[in-house]
């Protein structure tokens, strides 16, 4: 018998505003055909002006609590992954804690972009297995729409991303039979900082050579919008996701056949198809949501989990393998029994 962590509740929230590829074609020079062919994306969600990242996180968290049959007061810590915080500081988890009306529990923001959710569950798992906390709320939430260059200049990035949030409650569990009992079995986390500038948001920032962190000149250059070297990101994403997923499966003596559902990060359907082809993963085992939501960065994996459960694809007792890649570069994989 050993103390482990498991996911006892899953929630997601997508803002109602649907933005189709045709809608984007009215803002910039792009087309439904280009976006679909290169990425698989058909539509994404954008928030209304008054909605923030912590608002989306709150709704997803409520769903996770309800699914777990728990009250907000049962939560002992919040870990929130986002690259689109409500404000530069304090962290977005602070705002979520206030909105949930929670007492003085610790909050932690994770800044690992598309890999953020897998980093977050791994951190939660450590706290739980040490016996520090029993119930941790882990959230991935993003509002991209307010931070994108929606002109033709920014089209390579802006067509990819969407807004949304997903949340899980991770709780302590005693595992008697590791081959059957739900728990987080293994995770593998990586970073290669030399590629930080291949996908990044330069400004505002204290590393910029100026006396101010944001100047009109910087904004005129568009450095307050994300910049990406799409081809480099694509190649590394395929290589790293397959590499670390293979490592996690090997380390746990798990075969592709053993896994019931593969939940990949949702950056580009072609990336996921390439990873699946290379690893000989049957496409029916891969659950993708990018067609409807675009890339919601730290939220893609919990949203995928939520939708897979609702679709009857992911059922209690099933084995889930996940892999993600993103800005940093960071990448990660994890294996859990739901
Ligand atoms: N609509 C229409 N045309 C576009 C466009 C858009 N939204 N974005 C770029 N283009 C144009 C380019 O300007 C280029 O035109 P040119 O040939 O006249 O110069 C042409 O389309 C091809 O661009 P290219 O960059 O070669 O396309 P690509 O096949 O590499 O696909 C991505 C671009 C972004 C879809 C692809 O590189 C990708 O998905 N990369 C990974 C991105 C990612 O996953 N990011 C998040 C990581 S977590």
């Amino acid at each position: 018998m050993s103390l482990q962590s498991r996911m006892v509740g899953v929630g997601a929230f997508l803002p109602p505003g649907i933005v189709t590829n045709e809608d984007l074609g009215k803002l910039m020079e792009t087309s439904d055909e280009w976006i679909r062919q290169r990425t698989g994306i058909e539509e994404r969600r954008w928030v209304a002006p008054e909605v923030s990242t912590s608002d989306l996180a709150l709704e997803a968290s409520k769903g996770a609590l309800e699914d777990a049959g728990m009250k907000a007061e049962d939560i002992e810590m919040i870990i929130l992954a986002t690259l689109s915080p409500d404000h530069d500081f304090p962290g977005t988890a602070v705002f979520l804690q206030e909105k949930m009306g929670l007492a003085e529990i610790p909050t932690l923001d994770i800044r690992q972009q598309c890999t953020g959710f897998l980093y977050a569950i791994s951190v939660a798992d450590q706290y739980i297995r040490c016996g520090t906390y029993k119930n941790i709320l882990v959230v991935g939430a993003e509002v991209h729409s307010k931070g994108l260059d929606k002109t033709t200049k920014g089209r390579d990035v802006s067509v990819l991303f969407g807004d949304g949030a997903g949340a899980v409650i991770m709780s302590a569990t005693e595992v008697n039979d590791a081959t059957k009992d739900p728990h987080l079995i293994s995770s593998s986390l990586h970073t290669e900082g030399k590629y930080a500038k291949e996908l990044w948001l330069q400004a505002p920032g204290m590393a910029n050579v100026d006396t101010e962190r944001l100047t009109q000149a910087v904004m005129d250059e568009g450095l307050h919008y994300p910049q990406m070297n799409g081809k480099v990101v694509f190649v590394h994403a395929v290589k790293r996701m397959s590499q670390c997923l293979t490592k996690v499966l090997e380390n746990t003596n798990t075969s592709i056949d053993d896994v019931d559902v593969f939940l990949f990060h949702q950056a580009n359907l072609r990336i996921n198809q390439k990873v699946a082809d290379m690893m000989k993963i049957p496409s029916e085992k891969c659950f993708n949501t990018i067609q409807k939501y675009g890339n919601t960065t730290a939220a893609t994996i919990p949203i995928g989990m939520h939708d897979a459960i609702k679709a009857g694809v992911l059922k209690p007792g099933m084995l889930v393998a996940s892999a993600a890649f993103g800005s940093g570069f960071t990448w990660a994989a994890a294996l859990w029994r739901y």
Side-chain angles (χ1 to χ4, degrees):
M1 210 161 68
S2 66
L3 180 64
Q4 304 282 341
S5 73
R6 63 170 290 206
M7 296 176 194
V8 296
V10 183
F13 182 75
L14 280 305
I18 294 174
V19 177
T20 63
N21 294 341
E22 284 86 2
D23 293 332
L24 291 182
K26 292 172 200 150
L27 300 173
M28 62 190 82
E29 284 173 35
T30 190
S31 65
D32 178 53
E33 193 195 0
W34 193 98
I35 300 171
R36 255 179 222 251
Q37 266 183 12
R38 311 257 172 161
T39 71
I41 300 168
E42 295 163 22
E43 58 188 43
R44 74 286 293 141
R45 306 297 179 91
W46 284 4
V47 294
E50 66 277 12
V51 176
S52 72
T53 301
S54 62
D55 290 330
L56 301 184
L58 175 65
E59 295 308 318
S61 302
K62 283 184 193 164
L65 282 171
E66 193 185 329
D67 187 42
M70 291 168 76
K71 295 194 184 69
E73 305 83 80
D74 298 326
I75 299 300
E76 293 160 288
M77 182 185 196
I78 299 174
I79 303 179
L80 187 148
T82 188
L83 66 65
S84 49
D86 280 9
H87 302 283
D88 270 14
F89 75 87
T92 305
V94 166
F95 294 96
L96 176 61
Q97 185 219 31
E98 169 62 12
K99 285 176 184 173
M100 291 181 75
L102 291 176
E104 295 97 0
I105 61 165
T107 59
L108 179 65
D109 274 38
I110 300 268
R111 296 288 311 269
Q112 300 330 109
Q113 303 69 248
C114 297
T115 317
F117 181 77
L118 295 184
Y119 268 76
I121 59 170
S122 159
V123 173
D125 180 58
Q126 302 296 321
Y127 275 113
I128 289 171
R129 285 197 287 119
C130 286
T132 313
Y133 303 114
K134 286 195 178 63
N135 300 308
I136 301 181
L137 170 63
V138 181
V139 192
E142 306 285 357
V143 170
H144 281 296
S145 56
K146 295 186 189 184
L148 299 171
D149 179 354
K150 302 181 191 86
T151 69
T152 299
K153 191 175 168 216
R155 66 183 178 176
D156 60 325
V157 173
S158 55
V159 302
L160 303 177
F161 292 95
D163 304 339
V168 300
I169 314 281
M170 293 192 64
S171 293
T173 186
E174 291 289 352
V175 170
N176 296 309
D177 183 346
T179 64
K180 289 202 178 80
D181 296 342
H183 67 294
L184 179 58
I185 298 163
S186 181
S187 60
S188 171
L189 313 178
H190 305 272
T191 301
E192 197 173 23
K194 76 174 172 194
Y195 293 109
K197 296 181 181 178
E198 300 295 342
L199 174 52
W200 70 321
L201 183 65
Q202 186 174 345
M206 304 307 180
N208 293 328
V209 183
D210 215 311
T211 52
E212 301 290 327
R213 54 200 284 283
L214 184 62
T215 61
Q216 190 57 50
V218 162
M219 289 178 74
D220 290 345
E221 243 190 289
L223 301 181
H224 59 308
Y225 292 124
Q227 298 158 64
M228 177 181 75
N229 186 342
K231 284 192 167 47
V232 171
V233 173
F234 194 104
V235 170
H236 283 257
V238 172
K239 178 174 133 190
R240 295 308 198 177
M241 280 166 64
S242 50
Q243 218 173 44
C244 66
L245 188 54
T246 302
K247 187 172 152 195
V248 163
L249 295 178
E250 278 174 8
N251 288 350
T252 54
N253 287 322
T254 306
S255 73
I256 301 284
D257 285 349
D258 295 333
V259 178
D260 297 295
V261 181
F262 287 85
L263 285 179
F264 293 123
H265 170 56
Q266 304 287 299
N268 183 325
L269 203 53
R270 289 194 304 148
I271 292 177
N272 293 356
Q273 282 163 349
K274 271 199 185 272
V275 172
D277 284 351
M278 280 168 65
M279 295 184 66
K280 299 193 171 39
I281 298 170
S283 58
E284 58 275 15
K285 283 195 174 191
C286 302
F287 191 83
N288 291 305
T289 57
I290 190 166
Q291 301 90 330
K292 289 186 293 179
Y293 307 140
N295 181 352
T296 57
T297 309
T300 64
I301 292 167
I303 289 174
M305 225 184 139
H306 171 268
D307 283 18
I309 294 164
K310 293 287 169 240
V313 171
L314 175 54
K315 301 186 185 102
M318 281 186 166
L319 198 56
V320 180
S322 184
F325 179 91
S327 158
F329 290 151
T330 58
W331 64 98
L335 182 72
W336 64 88
R337 193 169 293 281
Y338 171 57

